[in-house]
Amino acid sequence: MRVEIWSDIACPWCYVGKARFEKALAAFPHRDEVEVVHRSFELDPGRAKDDVQPVLTMLAKKYGMSEAQARAGEDNLGAQAAAEGLEYRTRDRDHGNTFDMHRLLHLAKEHGRQDELMQRLYRANFAEEQSVFNDDERLVGIATGAGLDEAEVRKVLADPRAYADEVRADEREAAQLGANGVPFFVLDRKYGVSGAQPAEVFERALTQAWGERTPLTLIDDGEADACGPDGCAVPPRR
């Protein structure tokens, strides 16, 4: 079974939701038969790479709230993250463009390091002091720490076209599936789970999706030649 997760590194609920989903997956009896794929979704795709601002300022401006309200919201998020065993800095974080991070995640997917890079990016953004925005050297350090080759990482960051089509394809697909927010989880292209739901909700969704998998219907007249473990059928000489 495949689970696809649309998310953004700048999304705190994606950070929390990933932890809750992984808690549910760890308890799922068929967890070793579940493939998890991370898909790209930008919360702020129009933001310039060098447009970086404090999270509290961004929240107050975007949602028309006071900074006191923004601080209260961050405190709530910090408590939610702590309940999942996650570190979360409720003050002095910033916000910016995540396009390069998504491009690197597609590179990491090719090398089987996507989940490791995703987790390191989340931690860097939400738990560590140094910013991840508009700082290629910071991203190089995070990506190589996840096991990627430094030369490959630098090549991707130097070429804004590298993996750009893959990121945009993910985002178009999200829109086609009706995802207008993240995190958004899709199980076997049959069920969608929106938001950072409790682990119990993910457990039910995994169980239901697994139980309703459609077995393969075989169409075979028994006469077609084929290859198998014992070799290939040799057609009779005419």
Side-chain angles (χ1 to χ4, degrees):
M1 184 167 71
R2 170 180 281 197
V3 178
E4 297 162 279
I5 308 173
W6 273 264
S7 56
D8 191 9
I9 298 303
C11 166
W13 287 117
C14 296
Y15 180 47
V16 173
K18 182 176 187 291
R20 291 175 177 173
F21 171 77
E22 288 174 347
K23 184 180 294 184
L25 183 61
F28 185 55
H30 307 286
R31 59 185 175 274
D32 293 336
E33 298 174 73
V34 177
E35 176 192 12
V36 178
V37 178
H38 295 285
R39 301 290 192 191
S40 300
F41 190 105
E42 294 172 276
L43 290 175
D44 205 350
R47 182 178 289 270
K49 181 174 179 175
D50 61 356
D51 183 5
V52 181
Q53 65 181 147
V55 165
L56 294 178
T57 302
M58 180 275 293
L59 290 172
K61 182 178 180 180
K62 184 172 182 177
Y63 298 106
M65 61 174 66
S66 68
E67 287 219 5
Q69 290 172 315
R71 286 193 295 272
E74 282 292 283
D75 289 341
N76 174 57
L77 276 162
Q80 299 268 0
E84 304 302 331
L86 301 172
E87 294 182 53
Y88 189 98
R89 296 176 68 245
T90 61
R91 299 292 184 271
D92 301 321
R93 288 192 304 106
D94 54 17
H95 177 80
N97 181 287
T98 57
F99 187 58
D100 284 348
M101 298 180 216
H102 286 294
R103 296 193 301 115
L104 289 176
L105 284 164
H106 277 279
L107 169 67
K109 180 183 175 184
E110 291 187 351
H111 295 282
R113 308 298 299 173
Q114 190 184 44
D115 189 75
E116 175 70 16
L117 179 57
M118 174 73 77
Q119 194 59 36
R120 284 175 178 267
L121 286 169
Y122 274 142
R123 177 175 175 78
N125 185 40
F126 292 107
E128 297 175 1
E129 186 171 346
Q130 187 179 352
S131 176
V132 296
F133 299 105
N134 195 26
D135 186 345
D136 285 358
E137 289 304 311
R138 174 75 161 134
L139 292 183
V140 169
I142 295 168
T144 55
L148 296 182
D149 178 74
E150 180 177 339
E152 281 193 273
V153 172
R154 290 188 182 279
K155 184 177 179 180
V156 170
L157 292 175
D159 180 4
R161 298 168 300 176
Y163 299 101
D165 289 344
E166 287 83 350
V167 174
R168 298 306 183 209
D170 279 356
E171 293 172 338
R172 286 194 300 271
E173 199 163 14
Q176 292 166 2
L177 291 170
N180 52 19
V182 285
F184 189 71
F185 302 77
V186 176
L187 289 73
D188 257 5
R189 288 302 172 106
K190 182 180 289 188
Y191 295 101
V193 179
S194 181
Q197 300 286 349
E200 294 78 13
V201 173
F202 289 122
E203 288 174 14
R204 290 198 299 270
L206 286 165
T207 300
Q208 185 170 349
W210 183 268
E212 295 184 14
R213 290 177 304 148
T214 304
L216 183 70
T217 300
L218 183 64
I219 300 174
D220 184 3
D221 63 6
E223 297 181 1
D225 296 324
C227 294
D230 298 322
C232 297
V234 180
R237 181 173 299 177
R238 299 184 184 279

